[in-house]
Amino acid sequence: MIISTVLVIILWVAAGALLLTAALSPLETLSWWAGWSEDEVGEEEQTKTGPDDQSSSTASPGRVYIVYLSGIATLSGRYLLRREKLFLQGLKTRLPDAAVISDVFPYSPAGVPLLESPRVFDRVWRGVQKLKIQRRSAILSGLINMRNIFQVMVSADHRYGPIFNQGAAHVIEQALLEAGYERNSGAPVTVIGYSGGGQIGVGAATFLSARLAAPVDVISIGGVIASGPGLAALRRLTMIYGPRDTI
């Protein structure tokens, strides 16, 4: 009885956080654009692209760079579903010389995972993640999905989308530079977007291809994609979906 009561309370708190997050979803994008997280981004850039950074030493001519964007069920790029981990393991086995980047959190213009501060509801999302791992309730997984769906909608929105997608492109670019990618090298980049990651990949393509001066391909796996300007910036778009995918 006590466990049920605690679970109900957590669900109510999480639901309240979800509704507030839905209302504030565009504000996260606008706050990033306004520079409220400028110090955070500046430190990140210095860490990854500063003069002492030795990541470029791993670059090699003709190397393939693949960025994987997880689906809407993720809380962080470091926490992937089992099927995603198996897919990435198979990808690395088939392409041993490729740089496969999978730690990008695509549902934030600043790339800040839900489990990391300074988010207002980071404790709530940590509790949801813990219960999700323990498989106590499928509703909790739905809360995570809905929160990230709101961010996908922001990416597809004609008003806030360009701002969000510019932030997503910045996060992807920094991950590529950390993996040894060199700007203006012309090396193509392939973004694999699972579920909502497909929209984020396409939305970021306009800014990513311009910043890297390189062609960008997107492979969407069960993804939902809006007809935004990012489609025109792609060299190639490949959509993979199952016949029973009603979405």
Side-chain angles (χ1 to χ4, degrees):
M1 183 65 179
I2 296 178
I3 297 178
S4 300
T5 303
V6 172
L7 183 58
V8 170
I9 293 175
I10 292 177
L11 287 175
W12 275 107
V13 173
L18 177 66
L19 293 176
L20 187 57
T21 301
L24 299 179
S25 291
L27 293 184
E28 182 177 352
T29 297
L30 294 177
S31 66
W32 171 82
W33 180 256
W36 293 352
S37 58
E38 185 175 357
D39 294 338
E40 219 173 275
V41 174
E43 292 176 1
E44 181 183 16
E45 288 182 346
Q46 184 176 1
T47 300
K48 295 182 179 181
T49 62
D52 296 330
D53 187 3
Q54 300 298 324
S55 60
S56 61
S57 61
T58 60
S60 59
R63 192 178 191 193
V64 178
Y65 289 87
I66 301 173
V67 180
Y68 176 76
L69 303 181
S70 184
I72 58 174
T74 185
L75 283 166
S76 169
R78 297 190 298 270
Y79 297 92
L80 301 177
L81 299 176
R82 183 175 180 272
R83 58 175 174 265
E84 293 179 290
K85 294 179 179 178
L86 292 175
F87 168 74
L88 292 172
Q89 289 174 0
L91 194 64
K92 293 176 182 178
T93 300
R94 297 291 296 271
L95 301 171
D97 296 330
V100 181
I101 305 165
S102 59
D103 60 349
V104 174
F105 182 69
Y107 304 105
S108 166
V112 180
L114 296 182
L115 299 180
E116 294 186 8
S117 296
R119 291 190 177 278
V120 178
F121 299 111
D122 62 313
R123 292 185 179 180
V124 174
W125 294 119
R126 286 182 187 278
V128 171
Q129 172 70 0
K130 183 177 180 180
L131 291 174
K132 178 184 175 183
I133 292 175
Q134 296 174 354
R135 300 179 182 276
R136 291 191 179 183
S137 176
I139 298 178
L140 298 174
S141 297
L143 292 175
I144 300 172
N145 293 348
M146 287 303 300
R147 184 270 168 197
N148 289 335
I149 284 176
F150 291 137
Q151 296 302 315
V152 174
M153 292 180 178
V154 172
S155 172
D157 188 89
H158 68 279
R159 299 161 298 178
Y160 307 110
I163 301 175
F164 180 97
N165 294 327
Q166 184 172 348
H170 172 80
V171 172
I172 295 173
E173 179 191 18
Q174 294 303 312
L176 285 166
L177 295 177
E178 189 179 58
Y181 189 91
E182 295 182 356
R183 292 191 185 97
N184 301 316
S185 64
V189 172
T190 299
V191 178
I192 300 178
Y194 173 49
S195 181
Q199 164 60 35
I200 306 300
V202 171
T206 301
F207 305 98
L208 190 61
S209 60
R211 293 175 68 98
L212 299 178
V216 176
D217 300 330
V218 169
I219 300 176
S220 170
I221 304 178
V224 179
I225 298 174
S227 57
L231 292 170
L234 294 175
R235 183 178 67 172
R236 176 179 297 176
L237 170 64
T238 303
M239 298 191 68
I240 302 174
Y241 58 91
R244 296 183 181 179
D245 189 346
T246 56
I247 296 178

